[in-house]
Amino acid sequence: MLKWWQETVFYEIYMPSFKDGNGDGIGDFKGLLEKVPYLAELGVGGIWLTPFYPSPKVDNGYDVSDYYAVDPDYGTMADLEAFVAEAHRHGIRVIADMVVNHVSTEHAWFVESRSSRTNPKRDWFVWQDAPNNWESFFGGSAWEWDAGTEQYYYHSFATEQVDLNWANPEVEREIWKVFDFWLDKGLDGFRLDVINNLTLTRDFMDNPVVDGEQQHVFDKDQPGMMAKMAEIGERIRARGDYFTVGEISSDNLAEIERYAGSDGLDVTFNFNFGSVASRDGIVAELARMQQVYADGRMPTLFFGSHDMSRSWNRLADGREDVAQLLSMLMLTAHGVPFVYFGEEIGMADFVPESMREMRDVQGVYAYELALQDGKSEHEALVAAQEKTRDKARAPMTWPEGFSDKTEAWIGEVTPDFARGQRMFAFYQALIALRKTADFCEPGYRDFKVDGELLTYVRGEHLVCLNFGAAREMENKWGDLTPVLANLDVVVDADRIMLPAFAAVIFKI
Ligand SMILES: [Ca+2]
Ligand SMILES: [Ca+2]
């Protein structure tokens, strides 16, 4: 008996960029509500919402200033509830991003904590008299001087994102309340942000530095993390049929997979697969995952998110056939797929042409650090364009437009509606197939990598994915009926002729 999330195709929605419902240029719950039928038509069964809590938005909502409310930019609590009800009415579940490694420096807990060294919430955060060498994951020191109380506080990301001290049991109790609050609101689970970064210990060993690059050894995956992850998973499962997916800040498969399973979170994001810089390694990585998850656990399958360049540019080189090849892999392999909004219409990257257009704090940091290193303004801009996560955050290109207002909060990309329609139809067909038992059951038959050709059988379906040049393969199945293909594939009694980048599903 499969759990609901094992049969679900998820769809990530970057809150400010999906659909603006009130004409202020920022995506919101009213806009989302309007688009539920669109998502139902696409066929997805789950939505992951990026943070919608009140936030000064230094890191676009990943700096939460109140865990129990909705940011006015996105609407009201009633708007959220109406959206969730509408999604449920269409058979779509909703999971929420939960950011519990850190809070905004504007959060009341931190305002209290920094008010004096003897404040009862002083120990809810990590305060030290002297910094160690830990660097923020966004660059620069992870320690910030607080002049008022003459100590440093720890922030593993932006200066305005202060880390919670999970060594303090009061913090943990407070976070359990937050989980309960949102499950009571009807949400179906959580996506747990940078969850292996929770600061669990009071040891502050300097991180090693190799070739001038800091290795994040002691500031993540701290002792006790596995047990903590099991506890989080258990607490949420104990409440009912909910789903947890963890963001593990690593692209190392061994680190990622160990937190996934019945003794941890349900699944973890496989950045070893989804965030690769080119498609060259994809087939080999899937082969490794096929072995690691052969025990029936599920990996996650995705090629895009709000934190990386869109797969259209990064992996498909702007080619529709390659984009469809990737989507067929993602939606037929063993795992839990996450479609990133816009991917299903072949949306391309947005690249800010100037710092005036740059919205992402990571791009801004890269620019400032490059200038500090003596780079020219142009070189600093190039460095910022490299690092910025704005690329994947341009607004969804709806036929009627993203917003009634002419300007969205971030630059827009030029739509290609004809391409969008073809891509949408392909995704729709794949998702419909993915709902059949053949593609929900864990595991493969005849999983085979032959150079750049990947083939596997799922139930009564044969999937052929050719990541290389045109080639033939042996037809050992005999009578094959093509169900879906991105290109013309010719089959005879002995051979299957696959053009370059062909992706095809046969009924055996
Ligand atoms: Ca709006
Ligand atoms: Ca932390």
Side-chain angles (χ1 to χ4, degrees):
M1 181 66 183
L2 293 173
K3 296 189 162 59
W4 66 266
W5 53 264
Q6 292 176 307
E7 302 179 277
T8 296
V9 175
F10 285 87
Y11 186 91
E12 181 193 350
I13 289 178
Y14 192 64
M15 279 301 299
S17 302
F18 191 60
K19 179 65 184 173
D20 177 22
N22 69 348
D24 66 357
I26 304 170
D28 50 46
F29 280 112
K30 272 179 73 176
L32 261 168
L33 180 88
E34 281 172 40
K35 293 300 180 185
V36 170
Y38 168 86
L39 297 172
E41 195 188 337
L42 179 60
V44 297
I47 293 169
W48 151 28
L49 298 175
T50 60
F52 47 76
Y53 319 99
S55 163
K57 302 200 190 64
V58 170
D59 189 16
N60 253 342
Y62 286 89
D63 45 328
V64 176
S65 56
D66 179 357
Y67 282 116
Y68 297 105
V70 171
D71 191 285
D73 277 350
Y74 303 136
T76 63
M77 188 66 84
D79 293 335
L80 174 144
E81 287 167 344
F83 158 70
V84 172
E86 179 75 351
H88 285 171
R89 216 167 55 76
H90 284 80
I92 299 173
R93 290 181 167 89
V94 181
I95 67 168
D97 224 311
M98 197 48 83
V99 190
V100 296
N101 174 66
H102 49 260
V103 298
S104 163
T105 45
E106 293 185 19
H107 195 293
W109 299 344
F110 187 67
V111 172
E112 278 187 55
S113 183
R114 83 187 310 176
S115 66
S116 87
R117 288 202 191 190
T118 54
N119 184 276
K121 290 202 171 57
R122 184 65 172 181
D123 188 50
W124 282 34
F125 299 89
V126 180
W127 291 96
Q128 289 283 286
D129 290 330
N132 65 2
N133 82 337
W134 290 1
E135 282 176 7
S136 138
F137 286 80
F138 286 162
S141 173
W143 297 91
E144 183 74 5
W145 176 247
D146 178 59
T149 56
E150 299 191 316
Q151 276 189 316
Y152 292 85
Y153 69 81
Y154 174 57
H155 61 91
S156 50
F157 293 90
T159 312
E160 298 86 350
Q161 291 169 299
V162 54
D163 277 52
L164 283 162
N165 175 20
W166 277 73
N168 183 330
E170 286 176 27
V171 167
E172 198 173 308
R173 275 200 297 276
E174 205 54 40
I175 296 298
W176 300 148
K177 285 187 208 164
V178 173
F179 288 163
D180 285 341
F181 176 84
W182 288 106
L183 296 179
D184 289 342
K185 284 278 171 207
L187 295 179
D188 299 288
F190 301 118
R191 177 265 188 193
L192 298 154
D193 187 57
V194 292
I195 195 66
N196 62 321
N197 284 52
L198 297 186
T199 309
L200 300 179
T201 72
R202 303 293 301 185
D203 305 329
F204 298 102
M205 306 264 289
D206 274 350
N207 278 328
V209 177
V210 177
D211 296 333
E213 282 269 316
Q214 175 150 135
Q215 311 296 304
H216 289 281
V217 171
F218 297 111
D219 51 355
K220 61 174 192 158
D221 298 305
Q222 292 185 339
M225 188 62 68
M226 197 57 237
K228 188 55 61 192
M229 221 70 93
E231 193 184 347
I232 294 173
E234 268 168 37
R235 282 197 78 93
I236 294 172
R237 275 189 287 270
R239 286 219 24 172
D241 200 8
Y242 298 110
F243 172 60
T244 52
V245 48
E247 183 198 23
I248 306 301
S249 47
S250 170
D251 53 12
N252 179 334
L253 177 57
E255 284 175 47
I256 291 166
E257 64 94 4
R258 67 187 167 128
Y259 296 117
S262 53
D263 56 351
L265 306 175
D266 289 326
V267 296
T268 50
F269 280 130
N270 288 88
F271 294 107
N272 58 302
F273 178 72
S275 65
V276 289
S278 87
R279 62 176 180 269
D280 293 344
I282 284 176
V283 170
E285 199 58 37
L286 191 78
R288 288 177 60 202
M289 285 157 66
Q290 176 251 341
Q291 292 178 336
V292 167
Y293 297 92
D295 55 10
R297 291 179 304 149
M298 281 194 165
T300 51
L301 303 162
F302 60 91
F303 291 120
S305 85
H306 62 286
D307 281 338
M308 61 184 85
S309 167
R310 282 185 174 276
S311 58
W312 180 263
N313 297 80
R314 184 169 46 94
L315 301 175
D317 304 330
R319 288 182 59 147
E320 204 167 311
D321 51 2
V322 181
Q324 291 178 343
L325 168 71
L326 291 162
S327 64
M328 188 176 286
L329 171 56
M330 179 174 79
L331 290 161
T332 62
H334 161 61
V336 181
F338 284 79
V339 177
Y340 182 57
F341 89 88
E343 192 179 284
E344 79 281 16
I345 53 169
M347 266 183 76
D349 274 347
F350 159 70
V351 181
E353 296 292 335
S354 69
M355 289 311 292
R356 198 176 44 79
E357 290 185 18
M358 191 79 61
R359 295 288 174 272
D360 178 27
V361 60
Q362 192 164 295
V364 173
Y365 272 35
Y367 183 79
E368 288 167 358
L369 283 172
L371 288 184
Q372 281 168 28
D373 285 350
K375 300 272 169 50
S376 72
E377 279 183 25
H378 176 72
E379 287 167 331
L381 174 63
V382 171
Q385 285 171 331
E386 176 65 30
K387 281 276 183 190
T388 186
R389 298 167 300 174
D390 287 333
K391 293 190 189 87
R393 298 178 179 182
M396 180 81 170
T397 54
W398 300 106
E400 76 279 14
F402 166 72
S403 174
D404 293 340
K405 201 172 157 236
T406 46
E407 289 241 326
W409 70 279
I410 189 172
E412 304 197 40
V413 293
T414 310
D416 180 337
F417 292 120
R419 174 168 96 211
Q421 279 181 1
R422 290 189 300 270
M423 288 293 293
F424 184 91
F426 199 77
Y427 268 78
Q428 198 180 32
L430 278 169
I431 293 170
L433 266 173
R434 179 70 173 67
K435 286 180 185 167
T436 63
D438 278 10
F439 295 98
C440 295
E441 291 295 334
Y444 302 95
R445 286 204 323 278
D446 295 341
F447 188 98
K448 190 177 172 200
V449 176
D450 178 4
E452 292 174 284
L453 174 64
L454 170 64
T455 53
Y456 46 80
V457 173
R458 302 264 284 143
E460 298 303 313
H461 287 94
L462 167 69
V463 181
C464 305
L465 302 164
N466 183 15
F467 282 81
R471 58 172 292 169
E472 295 184 358
M473 63 177 275
E474 185 196 351
N475 176 4
K476 60 176 189 176
W477 294 272
D479 204 11
L480 289 173
T481 314
V483 176
L484 184 66
N486 64 343
L487 298 166
D488 288 331
V489 174
V490 179
V491 187
D492 66 25
D494 307 313
R495 314 202 68 75
I496 304 170
M497 273 71 78
L498 298 161
F501 304 121
V504 56
I505 301 172
F506 296 102
K507 181 92 177 162
I508 302 175

